[in-house]
Amino acid sequence: MTSRSWNLTTVIQAFLWILLGLLLCPEPGTASLPLLMDSLIQALAELEQKVPVTEASHTVSVWQLSAQDSGPHDSLHHFLLEGQSLKATMLDPSALSPELRGLTEEVAQHDVRGGQEYGVVLAPDGSTVAVEPLLAGLKAGLQGHRVINLPLNSTATPPGAKNTFPDVGAVVPDIRTTSLGLRDVSPDVSSADVRTMSPNVRATDLNVGAIFTDVRGPSPDDQTSLPDAKAKPPTTVDSLLVVTLARDLGLTFLQGSQTQSHPSLGAEGCWDQLSAPRNFTLLDPEASLLTMAFLNGALDGVLLGDYLSRAPEPRPPLSHLLSQYYGAGVAGDPGLRSNFRRHNGAALTSASALTQQVWGALILLQRLEPAHPQLQGMSQEQLAQVATYATKEFTEAFLGCPAIHPRCRWGAAPYRGHPTPLRLPLGFLYVHHTYLPAPPCTTFARCAANMRSMQRFHQDTRGWDDIGYSFVVGSDGYVYEGRGWHWLGAHTRGHNSRGFGVAFVGNYTGEVPAETALRTVRDLLPRCAVRAGFLRPDYRLLGHRQLVPTDCPGDALFHLLHTWPHFEANVKPRNARKASRIKRKPPPVTLSATDLQ
């Protein structure tokens, strides 16, 4: 490695420590930038201009910039990321603009308090991202080596003593740049993403655990939650996965197992405004720290950290890297961007590999902090059970589900009147195309504008209470909530109460939607709905034209539907009316006004 490339790397590392370290020097009343990812990128660009590339002799240890941090994860972070004697340029925080300092103070630490989420920003793709796990992943990736040997015994220091940890280089005789067991999983894992808000839906309805009557954390007697009998406790961990995701995943589900409760996973929320967001309110006031924003930030940290750990010197400036990742794609690759974080994350790590990382993170924290209140007295078997259960929930309920933007994210107008609840689970999935707008939407801005346009048409021109569809699928990697899982739609005249109406944005008479959009409707959305109890396991999939005189969903798309699982070619309208009433005497058919739409 050349001296210049080494200095570039250490300067990039310095930027990250400065962002986190500035939290230690708050300045009350400082003006702040909007809580946008673009603001964070702007902050990084300003830092990159202010920090010069100097000789190593003129630098100080980057690890000292956050040594005073009193957060709950000091010991683990210090052991994994701060044990090296790498150097980086020091920057006086007072040299930064007040706006930049204000921003870093707001986003440096992630927290959930009083129904509000802190330390998050709104990304250009419409997703909300927690900054702390994102920066942790970038730091771990820039460190290069990631495979760290676990200490054999406790490394805790006496109370009041200064924290000193063995030099990582001394603990790891065989440091490699690769990670542990990554890339051996299919992205086709499954579950339900039920963190989306519909009109008047209660926040408790969004908890996937609330759908089941007896969902508990793993108990020592629950043999089904044990890992493979041949599995041995891990002896190494991947620092990247531990500092971004594995530690928090393990601790949250460990607490759930001890309190016999199901941790809330992936709670969504709403910004006070989208143009200049300042406050983010969670839709579930009882949300755990594993919110949708945290999981987004953690996964982005994993993906970008993995990219940086493999990238040759000189590495790209972080402002450029983040601009690409939250824009058109890293290094010109449209697949490597935030829109597809779940698909890329599922392809990067397997459930078995992540289970080992969560287990290893709990073992490491137990050895670093023997008096940790959650880990004290926990056996290896108990930790393994927690790791297995936590990983299963994460891979099925997050990685394996499509990302759904809630109504507030695309700027939905209020529902007119009072929505009618559905009698779940339903037996049908009806596929539509919007026809107009005709062009597929490939960005959040365009898809959100299309949603508002369709809602105005449905409410103002057709006189409906709301946008008719249950969900709308863009070509940007996202699903947009219409009436959602709980409320009667206006999408398939005469059959609205018996199935969900899902529409692709675009005209698919002569061509089919993008593969990512097709996969969402064919595989992910129904599989997750079945898991959540919204859709029957034996549901049937129909094109709109099979029930209503129409060309929808277009010739090309309808022809493709014939090849999909659950497609029913011979269904008749009267059969569709009866499917959701199997095993009970059907009452006289009385169609509501909405069912006639």
Side-chain angles (χ1 to χ4, degrees):
M1 183 185 299
T2 65
S3 174
R4 181 176 183 276
S5 63
W6 183 90
N7 283 323
L8 285 172
T9 297
T10 55
V11 167
I12 290 174
Q13 291 172 322
F15 298 155
L16 298 173
W17 287 112
I18 290 167
L19 281 176
L20 296 181
L22 283 173
L23 185 64
L24 305 174
C25 310
E27 182 178 303
T30 299
S32 184
L33 298 169
L35 297 182
L36 296 166
M37 182 60 69
D38 288 342
S39 299
L40 179 64
I41 294 172
Q42 177 185 340
L44 285 170
E46 183 175 331
L47 285 171
E48 288 165 347
Q49 293 175 356
K50 289 181 179 292
V51 179
V53 178
T54 62
E55 295 298 326
S57 59
H58 296 157
T59 62
V60 296
S61 175
V62 298
W63 312 112
Q64 295 175 354
L65 288 173
S66 64
Q68 303 173 53
D69 182 24
S70 58
H73 306 135
D74 284 357
S75 60
L76 190 144
H77 266 266
H78 191 107
F79 182 82
L80 294 177
L81 299 181
E82 302 174 32
Q84 296 287 354
S85 58
L86 298 178
K87 307 294 182 180
T89 301
M90 175 68 81
L91 176 66
D92 181 2
S94 64
L96 302 177
S97 68
E99 292 80 10
L100 173 57
R101 294 189 63 191
L103 175 70
T104 56
E105 290 163 14
E106 289 191 81
V107 303
Q109 288 186 338
H110 176 257
D111 197 10
V112 171
R113 302 190 308 272
Q116 300 287 120
E117 188 168 11
Y118 301 90
V120 298
V121 295
L122 177 63
D125 67 348
S127 63
T128 302
V129 179
V131 175
E132 185 178 5
L134 168 63
L135 295 183
L138 295 175
K139 286 188 295 183
L142 287 168
Q143 183 172 277
H145 55 265
R146 291 163 44 185
V147 180
I148 308 296
N149 285 358
L150 293 175
L152 297 179
N153 301 303
S154 171
T155 60
T157 55
K162 182 178 180 181
N163 282 343
T164 57
F165 296 91
D167 182 86
V168 175
V171 179
V172 190
D174 181 23
I175 297 176
R176 294 160 288 165
T177 58
T178 56
S179 56
L180 298 171
L182 297 182
R183 196 61 181 93
D184 61 336
V185 69
S186 165
D188 295 325
V189 290
S190 63
S191 179
D193 188 351
V194 295
R195 317 302 190 242
T196 54
M197 180 61 76
S198 297
N200 301 328
V201 65
R202 297 174 301 163
T204 52
D205 291 334
L206 303 176
N207 187 339
V208 67
I211 299 168
F212 305 98
T213 57
D214 185 24
V215 180
R216 298 174 294 116
S219 68
D221 298 327
D222 184 5
Q223 298 300 316
T224 62
S225 63
L226 283 170
D228 189 279
K230 297 180 180 179
K232 297 180 180 179
T235 58
T236 59
V237 292
D238 183 337
S239 61
L240 173 61
L241 284 172
V242 170
V243 301
T244 53
L245 178 64
R247 173 200 60 209
D248 294 274
L249 195 61
L251 287 178
T252 299
F253 278 84
L254 177 61
Q255 182 180 8
S257 69
Q258 293 169 340
T259 60
Q260 297 296 296
S261 63
H262 185 95
S264 170
L265 182 69
E268 258 291 6
C270 295
W271 288 98
D272 54 346
Q273 54 180 322
L274 297 179
S275 58
R278 297 295 309 156
N279 299 296
F280 190 71
T281 303
L282 291 165
L283 297 176
D284 179 3
E286 303 300 322
S288 72
L289 288 173
L290 296 181
T291 62
M292 190 67 71
F294 178 86
L295 296 177
N296 287 340
L299 201 53
D300 291 349
V302 170
L303 293 169
L304 291 175
D306 181 72
Y307 177 85
L308 287 170
S309 71
R310 303 172 190 275
E313 299 285 355
R315 294 187 173 104
L318 290 183
S319 62
H320 293 179
L321 179 64
L322 294 183
S323 293
Q324 293 175 347
Y325 181 74
Y326 294 104
V330 174
D333 179 4
L336 184 52
R337 55 186 173 130
S338 55
N339 303 59
F340 306 114
R341 61 169 66 89
R342 298 193 192 200
H343 178 81
N344 292 331
L348 181 66
T349 184
S350 68
S352 59
L354 183 57
T355 298
Q356 287 289 304
Q357 294 306 308
V358 175
W359 191 5
L362 295 176
I363 292 173
L364 176 58
L365 193 57
Q366 189 179 55
R367 292 175 184 174
L368 294 176
E369 301 179 25
H372 193 288
Q374 289 180 255
L375 294 167
Q376 196 171 19
M378 294 290 290
S379 68
Q380 291 297 307
E381 182 183 63
Q382 289 172 315
L383 296 182
Q385 291 171 352
V386 170
T388 302
Y389 180 61
T391 300
K392 179 179 183 295
E393 289 299 302
F394 172 74
T395 54
E396 292 185 359
F398 181 75
L399 285 186
C401 283
I404 303 178
H405 283 320
R407 292 169 58 87
C408 61
R409 198 66 48 81
W410 55 267
Y415 191 95
R416 295 177 180 175
H418 300 283
T420 301
L422 290 167
R423 299 177 62 182
L424 303 174
L426 302 187
F428 288 88
L429 195 66
Y430 309 131
V431 178
H432 301 248
H433 72 167
T434 62
Y435 188 73
L436 291 175
C441 63
T442 57
T443 66
F444 169 70
R446 175 48 53 193
C447 291
N450 287 166
M451 292 294 292
R452 294 189 296 270
S453 175
M454 287 186 286
Q455 185 187 41
R456 284 193 300 269
F457 176 73
H458 288 176
Q459 289 184 321
D460 298 339
T461 302
R462 293 195 179 275
W464 299 348
D465 295 332
D466 196 4
I467 188 171
Y469 306 117
S470 305
F471 296 96
V472 177
V473 181
S475 295
D476 62 336
Y478 287 99
V479 176
Y480 291 77
E481 182 189 26
R483 301 204 188 186
W485 297 117
H486 295 278
W487 308 111
L488 188 71
H491 44 75
T492 311
R493 184 181 176 89
H495 304 272
N496 292 312
S497 62
R498 300 168 181 86
F500 297 105
V502 180
F504 292 91
V505 176
N507 178 359
Y508 296 106
T509 301
E511 60 182 7
V512 297
E515 176 56 34
T516 54
L518 291 171
R519 179 173 174 268
T520 293
V521 179
R522 181 187 63 230
D523 303 323
L524 302 183
L525 190 67
R527 192 184 302 162
C528 293
V530 169
R531 183 181 190 268
F534 301 138
L535 195 62
R536 292 166 52 98
D538 60 347
Y539 76 92
R540 284 182 278 179
L541 184 141
L542 303 173
H544 187 197
R545 64 172 62 179
Q546 292 177 269
L547 300 174
V548 177
T550 176
D551 291 332
C552 180
D555 292 343
L557 177 55
F558 183 67
H559 178 75
L560 181 64
L561 293 184
H562 285 73
T563 67
W564 286 14
H566 293 270
F567 178 77
E568 178 59 64
N570 300 316
V571 69
K572 296 180 180 180
R574 65 167 182 259
N575 293 336
R577 293 191 186 100
K578 296 178 181 179
S580 294
R581 295 175 180 148
I582 295 176
K583 297 184 179 180
R584 62 176 180 266
K585 184 179 179 180
V589 176
T590 302
L591 299 179
S592 66
T594 307
D595 231 354
L596 292 172
Q597 296 171 357

